[in-house]
Amino acid sequence: MTQGTKMPADFLWGGAVAAHQVEGAWQEDVKGVSIADVMQAASRTQPVRKFTDTVQAGKIYPNHWGIDFYHTYPEDIKRFQELGMKAFRTSIAWTRIFPNGDEKEPNQAGLDHYRQMFQALLDAGIQPVITLSHFEMPIHLVKEYGGWRNRKLIDFFVRFARVCFENFHDQVHYWMTFNEIDNQSDWGLPHHLLQDSGLQLQPGENAEEAMFQAVHNELVASAKTVLAARKVDPQLQIGGMLAMVPIYPLTAKPADQMEAMRAMQYRYFFGDVHALGQYPKWLRKYWAQKGYDIPVSAADADILRRGTVDFMGMSYYMSFATAERADGKLEFDEHHDLVDNPTLPKSDWGWQIDPIGVRWILNWMEDRWHKPIMIVENGFGAYDKLEDGHVHDQYRIDYLRAHIEQMEKAVTEDGVDVIGYMMWAPIDLISASTGEMAKRYGLIYVDQDDAGQGSGKRYLKDSFAWYKQLIASDGSEL
Ligand code: P53
């Protein structure tokens, strides 16, 4: 055991999932079809999930079953309670509340489901922390409206958000608008545009311009959501949510430093708008230089300025590195021109493991955005082996321990205002990027394979006991 720091008693230790990765029941209680429902399974070696317009016979759509949490939540929440979790982050599936996304009235059955689930959490002493949009927008909004490039989505989303606030403000205090909105800065990987914004590009269309147009609408929707929450209940806390991935310069060469700085600016302008209420100057220049048409009206600018978030939610899994481009340009046409950082080990899925990076990025966020920070994802996807009812996942304990240790240093030594840590994930679930079950994150093992076969039975891994002790000691027994 390692000596950690005693964190404040009200620190939100917990775990996180997303609706589409656990619930299953994809057609129950009048639920509509979401993007996640038409994404096929991929694999570690063929990582990009195929998106199909409709469900094709004989293909695997793992989000149709998830881990059946829609039905198993009462027993799973009992396990979360045994773990001592103080907060559970999940999302509300938009398609359970507005099946197509453009209805005027919500689906009562969906509202009832979440009310009961939140009550079960509260009865177990666990606070729900809710994301409104986590890679699961209604497919109808993609097909009929072209996704977030269409301004009509602003009103649809804000209506959905307002209905959620009105129905659950007495149960849910912390909310986030868009999960990992910054993933789409990697627009060279088209599935990010689809998962985040419902964008399907036309042949010849400029992906980067489409991304900026869609993102502007989402940022306006996010700011309007903040304003709507304040009207419903001024106590509510609304956050943005970004995947925080430090992008280091590969060397001390000034051109590498410049490239890395711009890569950080490019990936994190979303947070500048959320927290500071305006677009950075370099980006306005960049749009002008590229001739992009991003219609930021005076009214939009005013909404962005007034609708800044109360806190920043974030995920942290890995860091990247970058080096000067061969053409010397500060542009990002393929995955930020990322390069391997030779100093770091990788997970089996190629994610570079960097515990100090979490302390580094927490300091960076504090310096730049001056908001309380909630870590709502951090975890280790790995192959697990179930043997005689046990999973000895020391590698997961090692990963979590090293990252939590650095997070605690950021709080106690550097003074960063971190209000919670929710590991991904308390229970095994469907991977977002590959759709696999084999890429396991849980403290609780679910007996189910990539094709959805298995008993579905739950087993506590070694990491469960370790995390339980960590929470019970307020973070001091690492
Ligand atoms: P999976 C990319 C980079 C960092 C985090 O990821 C990411 C992604 C997109 O997949 O996603 C977040 O399951 C996301 C979760 C996801 C989790 O990280 O691909 O918010 O939905 O499951 C882990 O291994």
Side-chain angles (χ1 to χ4, degrees):
M1 198 204 304
T2 313
Q3 186 59 42
T5 320
K6 206 168 176 67
M7 299 289 275
D10 60 354
F11 190 78
L12 290 175
W13 293 105
V17 302
H20 68 101
Q21 291 171 264
V22 294
E23 286 180 356
W26 72 294
Q27 289 181 304
E28 248 165 86
D29 294 334
V30 206
K31 181 184 173 298
V33 180
S34 81
I35 289 186
D37 295 324
V38 288
M39 290 186 94
Q40 294 180 356
S43 66
R44 186 171 64 83
T45 45
Q46 292 289 327
V48 177
R49 300 178 68 178
K50 193 170 167 205
F51 169 88
T52 54
D53 251 15
T54 51
V55 173
Q56 295 174 353
K59 300 288 186 198
I60 294 178
Y61 294 91
N63 301 74
H64 290 188
W65 47 79
I67 54 163
D68 197 31
F69 188 72
Y70 194 76
H71 301 113
T72 62
Y73 77 83
E75 298 93 70
D76 288 330
I77 288 173
K78 280 190 198 135
R79 293 180 187 97
F80 299 165
Q81 183 176 17
E82 187 190 331
L83 183 62
M85 266 168 50
K86 298 185 177 165
F88 176 58
R89 175 202 179 214
T90 186
S91 54
I92 293 179
W94 191 344
T95 47
R96 291 198 191 279
I97 310 301
F98 289 97
N100 281 328
D102 58 358
E103 296 91 340
K104 288 265 182 310
E105 296 302 324
N107 169 33
Q108 190 58 43
L111 293 171
D112 292 346
H113 168 75
Y114 286 109
R115 182 132 207 111
Q116 284 157 21
M117 205 258 283
F118 296 157
Q119 198 51 51
L121 286 165
L122 293 167
D123 290 347
I126 302 170
Q127 170 168 176
V129 171
I130 296 301
T131 318
L132 287 161
S133 179
H134 193 134
F135 306 164
E136 56 206 352
M137 66 190 288
I139 188 73
H140 178 76
L141 297 183
V142 175
K143 287 190 185 165
E144 292 300 315
Y145 297 88
W148 274 98
R149 77 178 82 214
N150 191 325
R151 274 192 83 95
K152 287 193 179 137
L153 266 79
I154 298 174
D155 288 344
F156 298 150
F157 181 79
V158 177
R159 181 185 299 153
F160 161 57
R162 188 180 302 114
V163 163
C164 291
F165 298 148
E166 284 165 356
N167 279 274
F168 307 124
H169 70 104
D170 58 328
Q171 295 182 308
V172 181
H173 182 64
Y174 288 108
W175 301 80
M176 283 164 283
T177 52
F178 294 96
N179 183 64
E180 295 189 337
I181 188 170
D182 57 320
N183 276 354
Q184 48 198 326
S185 60
D186 284 343
W187 49 266
L189 302 172
H191 67 278
H192 285 319
L193 295 183
L194 186 64
Q195 277 190 330
D196 279 13
S197 286
L199 288 188
Q200 291 180 292
L201 298 177
Q202 310 306 318
E205 192 177 6
N206 184 322
E208 189 182 39
E209 184 175 24
M211 180 273 284
F212 283 124
Q213 288 167 345
V215 164
H216 176 63
N217 292 335
E218 287 172 274
L219 290 169
V220 171
S222 179
K224 281 193 157 184
T225 298
V226 171
L227 299 174
R230 292 196 186 131
K231 272 205 180 138
V232 174
D233 182 346
Q235 299 291 318
L236 298 181
Q237 294 288 294
I238 314 297
M241 196 297 192
L242 273 72
M244 298 309 297
V245 188
I247 306 173
Y248 303 132
L250 186 64
T251 74
K253 213 165 71 177
D256 286 358
Q257 299 288 324
M258 191 63 224
E259 169 78 12
M261 184 172 75
R262 179 52 53 87
M264 289 291 286
Q265 290 174 320
Y266 193 87
R267 187 169 176 108
Y268 298 115
F269 78 86
F270 306 81
D272 296 341
V273 180
H274 276 323
L276 308 174
Q278 57 182 349
Y279 286 104
K281 292 196 179 74
W282 73 265
L283 184 55
R284 297 285 201 150
K285 265 268 184 274
Y286 187 80
W287 289 342
Q289 283 157 359
K290 290 271 181 175
Y292 290 164
D293 177 24
I294 316 297
V296 184
S297 66
D300 285 354
D302 181 57
I303 288 164
L304 295 179
R305 204 163 29 243
R306 290 189 293 119
T308 52
V309 296
D310 299 306
F311 70 98
M312 292 298 284
M314 63 172 281
S315 67
Y316 180 83
Y317 291 92
M318 59 190 145
S319 64
F320 295 153
T322 193
E324 181 191 17
R325 277 165 55 125
D327 63 10
K329 282 189 179 167
L330 290 172
E331 292 181 15
F332 303 96
D333 41 36
E334 272 301 315
H335 208 51
H336 289 314
D337 302 290
L338 298 174
V339 296
D340 271 357
N341 182 336
T343 69
L344 296 177
K346 287 180 178 177
S347 78
D348 285 337
W349 278 261
W351 291 17
Q352 301 195 86
I353 302 168
D354 175 15
I356 291 175
V358 74
R359 182 178 183 180
W360 190 95
I361 202 71
L362 285 169
N363 275 274
W364 186 90
M365 292 170 74
E366 175 74 37
D367 289 351
R368 194 178 180 94
W369 295 329
H370 321 293
K371 297 280 178 189
I373 300 168
M374 193 188 279
I375 298 180
V376 295
E377 285 186 36
N378 173 232
F380 192 55
Y383 293 110
D384 286 340
K385 245 193 8 237
L386 181 70
E387 286 168 314
D388 304 325
H390 295 278
V391 178
H392 302 301
D393 56 343
Q394 188 59 40
Y395 39 89
R396 186 167 292 107
I397 296 173
D398 292 344
Y399 179 99
L400 293 170
R401 173 189 285 139
H403 286 75
I404 292 171
E405 193 176 14
Q406 293 296 326
M407 186 256 311
E408 292 184 349
K409 282 184 200 293
V411 174
T412 57
E413 294 182 30
D414 311 334
V416 181
D417 186 10
V418 183
I419 56 177
Y421 173 91
M422 279 147 249
M423 56 84 59
W424 187 272
I427 188 162
D428 289 344
L429 74 182
I430 307 295
S431 156
S433 55
T434 66
E436 291 166 291
M437 193 67 201
K439 189 182 187 186
R440 293 177 185 271
Y441 283 89
L443 307 174
I444 301 167
Y445 186 91
V446 178
D447 177 28
Q448 181 182 301
D449 67 15
D450 288 340
Q453 303 300 307
S455 67
K457 216 174 146 211
R458 275 68 165 147
Y459 298 88
L460 307 186
K461 304 183 195 176
D462 288 356
S463 54
F464 184 96
W466 174 81
Y467 196 58
K468 181 176 174 175
Q469 172 173 297
L470 174 95
I471 298 177
S473 69
D474 290 323
S476 61
E477 289 183 21
L478 266 175

